[in-house]
Protein backbone atom coordinates (compact mmCIF):
# COMPACT_ATOMS: atom_id res chain seq x y z
CA UNK A 1 0.00 0.00 0.00
CA UNK A 2 2.85 2.36 0.91
CA UNK A 3 4.52 1.56 -2.42
CA UNK A 4 1.35 2.36 -4.34
CA UNK A 5 0.94 5.61 -2.45
CA UNK A 6 4.51 6.58 -3.30
CA UNK A 7 3.99 5.73 -6.95
CA UNK A 8 0.81 7.81 -7.09
CA UNK A 9 2.57 10.72 -5.41
CA UNK A 10 5.51 10.47 -7.80
CA UNK A 11 3.16 10.32 -10.79
CA UNK A 12 1.22 13.34 -9.54
CA UNK A 13 4.43 15.28 -8.99
CA UNK A 14 5.63 14.42 -12.48
CA UNK A 15 2.36 15.49 -14.08
CA UNK A 16 2.35 18.73 -12.09
CA UNK A 17 5.93 19.46 -13.13
CA UNK A 18 5.12 18.70 -16.76
CA UNK A 19 2.08 20.95 -16.62
CA UNK A 20 4.11 23.76 -15.06
CA UNK A 21 6.81 23.41 -17.71
CA UNK A 22 4.23 23.40 -20.47
CA UNK A 23 2.70 26.57 -19.06
CA UNK A 24 6.07 28.29 -18.85
CA UNK A 25 6.88 27.23 -22.40
CA UNK A 26 3.58 28.43 -23.81
CA UNK A 27 4.19 30.76 -26.74
CA UNK A 28 1.71 30.30 -29.53
CA UNK A 29 2.67 31.41 -33.03
CA UNK A 30 0.03 32.35 -35.58
CA UNK A 31 0.67 32.64 -39.31
CA UNK A 32 -1.27 34.99 -41.59
CA UNK A 33 -1.19 33.88 -45.22
CA UNK A 34 -2.01 37.07 -47.11
CA UNK A 35 -2.24 38.23 -50.70
CA UNK A 36 1.04 40.10 -50.19
CA UNK A 37 3.02 37.46 -48.30
CA UNK A 38 3.33 35.63 -44.99
CA UNK A 39 3.25 37.24 -41.55
CA UNK A 40 4.14 35.26 -38.42
CA UNK A 41 3.17 36.53 -34.97
CA UNK A 42 4.42 35.25 -31.64
CA UNK A 43 1.72 35.69 -29.00
CA UNK A 44 2.38 36.56 -25.36
CA UNK A 45 0.30 33.73 -23.91
CA UNK A 46 1.56 34.04 -20.35
CA UNK A 47 1.43 37.82 -19.95
CA UNK A 48 -1.76 38.64 -21.88
CA UNK A 49 -3.69 35.37 -21.50
CA UNK A 50 -7.23 36.70 -21.88
CA UNK A 51 -6.38 38.66 -25.01
CA UNK A 52 -4.52 35.74 -26.56
CA UNK A 53 -7.40 33.37 -25.79
CA UNK A 54 -9.82 35.85 -27.36
CA UNK A 55 -7.67 36.25 -30.49
CA UNK A 56 -7.19 32.50 -30.89
CA UNK A 57 -10.93 31.94 -30.64
CA UNK A 58 -11.32 33.97 -33.83
CA UNK A 59 -8.38 32.17 -35.43
CA UNK A 60 -9.82 28.76 -34.57
CA UNK A 61 -13.32 29.52 -35.86
CA UNK A 62 -11.95 30.82 -39.16
CA UNK A 63 -13.23 34.36 -38.67
CA UNK A 64 -10.10 35.98 -40.08
CA UNK A 65 -10.00 33.79 -43.20
CA UNK A 66 -10.67 35.92 -46.30
CA UNK A 67 -10.93 39.11 -44.26
CA UNK A 68 -9.22 42.29 -45.46
CA UNK A 69 -6.91 44.93 -44.08
CA UNK A 70 -9.38 47.78 -43.80
CA UNK A 71 -7.25 50.65 -42.53
CA UNK A 72 -3.77 51.97 -43.18
CA UNK A 73 -2.35 55.11 -41.55
CA UNK A 74 1.24 55.52 -42.85
CA UNK A 75 3.79 55.83 -40.09
CA UNK A 76 1.21 54.73 -37.52
CA UNK A 77 -0.74 51.48 -37.96
CA UNK A 78 -2.42 49.05 -40.32
CA UNK A 79 -5.61 47.45 -39.03
CA UNK A 80 -7.60 44.30 -39.78
CA UNK A 81 -9.78 41.57 -38.34
CA UNK A 82 -13.16 43.23 -38.65
CA UNK A 83 -14.30 43.29 -42.28
CA UNK A 84 -14.51 41.23 -45.46
CA UNK A 85 -15.20 42.07 -49.09
CA UNK A 86 -18.10 40.12 -50.56
CA UNK A 87 -18.30 41.59 -54.05
CA UNK A 88 -19.76 45.00 -53.36
CA UNK A 89 -19.66 47.94 -50.99
CA UNK A 90 -19.95 48.41 -48.15
CA UNK A 91 -17.49 45.92 -46.74
CA UNK A 92 -19.20 43.30 -44.60
CA UNK A 93 -18.70 43.62 -40.86
CA UNK A 94 -17.64 40.31 -39.33
CA UNK A 95 -19.53 38.95 -36.30
CA UNK A 96 -17.93 39.41 -32.91
CA UNK A 97 -17.92 37.56 -29.63
CA UNK A 98 -18.06 39.18 -26.16
CA UNK A 99 -15.35 41.76 -25.53
CA UNK A 100 -12.18 41.00 -23.59
CA UNK A 101 -10.68 42.74 -20.57
CA UNK A 102 -7.82 45.15 -21.29
CA UNK A 103 -4.29 43.83 -20.56
CA UNK A 104 -1.86 46.71 -21.24
CA UNK A 105 1.34 44.94 -20.21
CA UNK A 106 3.64 45.70 -23.16
CA UNK A 107 4.47 48.81 -25.13
CA UNK A 108 3.07 49.69 -28.56
CA UNK A 109 6.42 49.66 -30.34
CA UNK A 110 7.10 48.97 -34.00
CA UNK A 111 6.43 45.36 -34.95
CA UNK A 112 3.90 44.60 -32.24
CA UNK A 113 0.26 43.59 -32.71
CA UNK A 114 -2.35 45.22 -30.48
CA UNK A 115 -6.12 45.19 -30.00
CA UNK A 116 -8.41 47.93 -31.36
CA UNK A 117 -11.34 49.03 -29.22
CA UNK A 118 -14.11 51.60 -28.86
CA UNK A 119 -13.00 55.02 -27.64
CA UNK A 120 -13.80 55.60 -23.99
CA UNK A 121 -14.39 51.88 -23.35
CA UNK A 122 -11.12 50.26 -22.22
CA UNK A 123 -12.52 46.71 -22.12
CA UNK A 124 -14.26 46.77 -25.50
CA UNK A 125 -11.77 44.88 -27.74
CA UNK A 126 -13.30 42.05 -29.77
CA UNK A 127 -11.98 40.90 -33.16
CA UNK A 128 -10.06 43.88 -34.54
CA UNK A 129 -6.30 44.30 -34.15
CA UNK A 130 -3.56 46.47 -35.61
CA UNK A 131 0.16 46.30 -36.34
CA UNK A 132 2.26 49.18 -35.03
CA UNK A 133 4.36 50.64 -37.84
CA UNK A 134 6.36 52.87 -35.50
CA UNK A 135 6.98 53.52 -31.82
CA UNK A 136 3.47 54.59 -30.80
CA UNK A 137 4.06 54.23 -27.07
CA UNK A 138 3.63 57.93 -26.20
CA UNK A 139 0.03 57.74 -27.44
CA UNK A 140 -1.15 54.16 -27.31
CA UNK A 141 0.43 53.06 -24.04
CA UNK A 142 -1.15 55.92 -22.13
CA UNK A 143 -4.47 56.91 -23.70
CA UNK A 144 -7.72 54.92 -23.42
CA UNK A 145 -6.19 53.03 -20.47
CA UNK A 146 -3.56 51.68 -22.85
CA UNK A 147 -3.93 49.49 -25.94
CA UNK A 148 -3.17 45.82 -25.31
CA UNK A 149 -0.11 44.50 -27.13
CA UNK A 150 -0.51 40.72 -27.25
CA UNK A 151 2.16 39.62 -29.70
CA UNK A 152 5.12 40.53 -31.83
CA UNK A 153 5.90 40.01 -35.51
CA UNK A 154 8.73 37.51 -35.99
CA UNK A 155 8.46 37.22 -39.76
CA UNK A 156 6.90 39.41 -42.43
CA UNK A 157 7.49 42.95 -41.21
CA UNK A 158 8.52 43.66 -44.81
CA UNK A 159 5.03 42.54 -45.89
CA UNK A 160 3.44 44.90 -43.37
CA UNK A 161 5.61 47.79 -44.55
CA UNK A 162 4.68 46.97 -48.15
CA UNK A 163 0.99 47.19 -47.30
CA UNK A 164 1.57 50.45 -45.44
CA UNK A 165 3.05 51.87 -48.65
CA UNK A 166 -0.03 51.19 -50.78
CA UNK A 167 -2.31 53.97 -51.94
CA UNK A 168 -5.43 54.25 -49.81
CA UNK A 169 -9.06 54.96 -50.53
CA UNK A 170 -10.65 56.43 -47.41
CA UNK A 171 -7.85 54.80 -45.40
CA UNK A 172 -8.34 51.35 -46.97
CA UNK A 173 -5.12 50.12 -48.62
CA UNK A 174 -5.89 49.29 -52.25
CA UNK A 175 -4.05 47.80 -55.21
CA UNK A 176 -4.32 49.33 -58.70
CA UNK A 177 -7.60 51.00 -57.83
CA UNK A 178 -8.86 54.47 -58.70
CA UNK A 179 -10.74 55.83 -55.73
CA UNK A 180 -13.80 57.39 -57.35
CA UNK A 181 -17.56 57.07 -57.00
CA UNK A 182 -17.76 55.23 -60.33
CA UNK A 183 -15.00 52.74 -59.53
CA UNK A 184 -15.91 49.10 -59.06
CA UNK A 185 -13.51 47.12 -56.87
CA UNK A 186 -12.74 43.42 -57.09
CA UNK A 187 -11.27 41.01 -54.58
CA UNK A 188 -7.85 41.83 -56.05
CA UNK A 189 -8.36 45.43 -54.96
CA UNK A 190 -7.79 44.59 -51.30
CA UNK A 191 -5.09 43.16 -49.09
CA UNK A 192 -6.69 39.84 -48.20
CA UNK A 193 -5.87 37.52 -45.32
CA UNK A 194 -6.46 34.15 -46.95
CA UNK A 195 -6.02 32.26 -43.69
CA UNK A 196 -4.92 32.63 -40.07
CA UNK A 197 -3.62 29.44 -38.50
CA UNK A 198 -1.82 28.37 -35.35
CA UNK A 199 1.58 27.38 -36.68
CA UNK A 200 3.47 26.52 -33.49
CA UNK A 201 2.54 25.83 -29.88
CA UNK A 202 5.58 23.87 -28.79
CA UNK A 203 8.40 26.36 -28.21
CA UNK A 204 8.91 29.36 -25.97
CA UNK A 205 10.02 31.71 -28.71
CA UNK A 206 8.56 34.64 -26.77
CA UNK A 207 11.52 34.41 -24.41
CA UNK A 208 13.77 35.59 -27.25
CA UNK A 209 11.72 38.67 -28.08
CA UNK A 210 12.31 40.84 -25.00
CA UNK A 211 9.24 43.09 -25.48
CA UNK A 212 9.29 46.50 -23.82
CA UNK A 213 6.97 47.13 -20.89
CA UNK A 214 4.09 49.58 -21.32
CA UNK A 215 5.45 53.05 -20.51
CA UNK A 216 2.48 53.82 -18.25
CA UNK A 217 4.08 51.53 -15.67
CA UNK A 218 6.92 54.06 -15.41
CA UNK A 219 5.75 57.22 -13.65
CA UNK A 220 8.50 59.24 -15.32
CA UNK A 221 6.90 58.60 -18.71
CA UNK A 222 3.39 59.64 -17.77
CA UNK A 223 4.20 63.31 -18.30
CA UNK A 224 5.16 62.77 -21.94
CA UNK A 225 3.41 65.06 -24.41
CA UNK A 226 0.77 63.18 -26.35
CA UNK A 227 -0.47 66.16 -28.33
CA UNK A 228 -3.05 65.22 -30.92
CA UNK A 229 -3.45 61.78 -29.42
CA UNK A 230 -7.17 62.07 -28.85
CA UNK A 231 -7.81 62.56 -32.55
CA UNK A 232 -5.44 59.69 -33.30
CA UNK A 233 -7.32 57.49 -30.85
CA UNK A 234 -10.44 57.78 -32.95
CA UNK A 235 -8.58 55.99 -35.74
CA UNK A 236 -8.38 52.87 -33.62
CA UNK A 237 -12.01 52.58 -32.61
CA UNK A 238 -14.44 50.16 -34.16
CA UNK A 239 -16.28 52.90 -36.03
CA UNK A 240 -14.68 52.61 -39.43
CA UNK A 241 -14.14 54.35 -42.71
CA UNK A 242 -15.72 54.94 -46.07
CA UNK A 243 -14.66 54.00 -49.58
CA UNK A 244 -16.33 54.98 -52.82
CA UNK A 245 -20.07 55.11 -52.19
CA UNK A 246 -20.04 52.60 -49.34
CA UNK A 247 -19.69 53.79 -45.77
CA UNK A 248 -18.69 51.62 -42.86
CA UNK A 249 -20.21 52.51 -39.53
CA UNK A 250 -20.21 51.16 -36.02
Amino acid sequence: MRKNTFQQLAKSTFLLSALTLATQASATEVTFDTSEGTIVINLFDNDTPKTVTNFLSYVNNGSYNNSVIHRSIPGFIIQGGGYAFEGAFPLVKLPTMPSVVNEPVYSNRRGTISMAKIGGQPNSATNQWFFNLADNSANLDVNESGYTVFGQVTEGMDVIDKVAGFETCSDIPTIDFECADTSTPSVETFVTIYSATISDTSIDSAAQLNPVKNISTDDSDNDKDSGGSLSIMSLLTLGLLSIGRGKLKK
Side-chain angles (χ1 to χ4, degrees):
M1 176 67 97
R2 183 176 297 177
K3 182 178 180 180
N4 289 338
T5 301
F6 175 79
Q7 289 176 335
Q8 290 176 353
L9 179 61
K11 183 177 181 180
S12 297
T13 302
F14 172 80
L15 291 174
L16 180 60
S17 298
L19 179 60
T20 301
L21 181 60
T23 301
Q24 292 174 342
S26 174
T28 305
E29 288 186 355
V30 168
T31 296
F32 284 148
D33 178 25
T34 83
S35 57
E36 306 309 311
T38 300
I39 302 169
V40 180
I41 310 155
N42 198 134
L43 306 182
F44 302 135
D45 302 55
N46 292 330
D47 295 320
T48 57
K50 294 181 175 63
T51 305
V52 168
T53 297
N54 173 75
F55 177 73
L56 291 180
S57 67
Y58 289 101
V59 170
N60 287 326
N61 71 15
S63 179
Y64 296 139
N65 297 348
N66 298 310
S67 64
V68 301
I69 299 297
H70 61 263
R71 173 173 290 138
S72 174
I73 309 296
F76 185 42
I77 59 97
I78 64 171
Q79 186 171 334
Y83 287 83
F85 175 68
E86 294 188 358
F89 287 126
L91 297 179
V92 176
K93 188 173 183 180
L94 299 174
T96 62
M97 291 177 279
S99 58
V100 63
V101 66
N102 203 34
E103 296 177 303
V105 176
Y106 290 124
S107 186
N108 284 268
R109 304 299 175 97
R110 171 175 164 79
T112 57
I113 183 171
S114 189
M115 295 302 296
K117 55 188 176 181
I118 299 172
Q121 300 182 37
N123 300 314
S124 60
T126 53
N127 60 347
Q128 293 190 40
W129 39 262
F130 58 90
F131 291 114
N132 283 294
L133 300 174
D135 181 353
N136 296 318
S137 57
N139 287 320
L140 304 187
D141 285 11
V142 177
N143 289 284
E144 302 288 349
S145 298
Y147 284 78
T148 298
V149 169
F150 63 97
Q152 186 168 326
V153 176
T154 57
E155 179 185 335
M157 200 61 203
D158 58 330
V159 175
I160 293 170
D161 288 334
K162 177 183 177 182
V163 174
F166 288 163
E167 295 292 326
T168 61
C169 186
S170 298
D171 291 340
I172 302 176
T174 57
I175 304 166
D176 298 326
F177 179 71
E178 293 295 329
C179 186
D181 287 347
T182 57
S183 299
T184 302
S186 67
V187 66
E188 288 78 16
T189 298
F190 304 97
V191 178
T192 302
I193 297 172
Y194 296 135
S195 66
T197 56
I198 297 174
S199 49
D200 197 339
T201 60
S202 62
I203 60 173
D204 188 8
S205 52
Q208 304 173 17
L209 300 180
N210 298 316
V212 179
K213 290 289 186 180
N214 185 299
I215 66 170
S216 65
T217 61
D218 183 350
D219 291 338
S220 65
D221 285 323
N222 286 339
D223 293 329
K224 286 186 177 181
D225 179 20
S226 57
S229 62
L230 292 181
S231 61
I232 291 177
M233 291 309 98
S234 65
L235 297 173
L236 296 177
T237 66
L238 302 186
L240 301 173
L241 49 137
S242 63
I243 177 173
R245 295 178 179 175
K247 292 185 179 296
L248 306 182
K249 301 178 180 179
K250 287 185 181 179

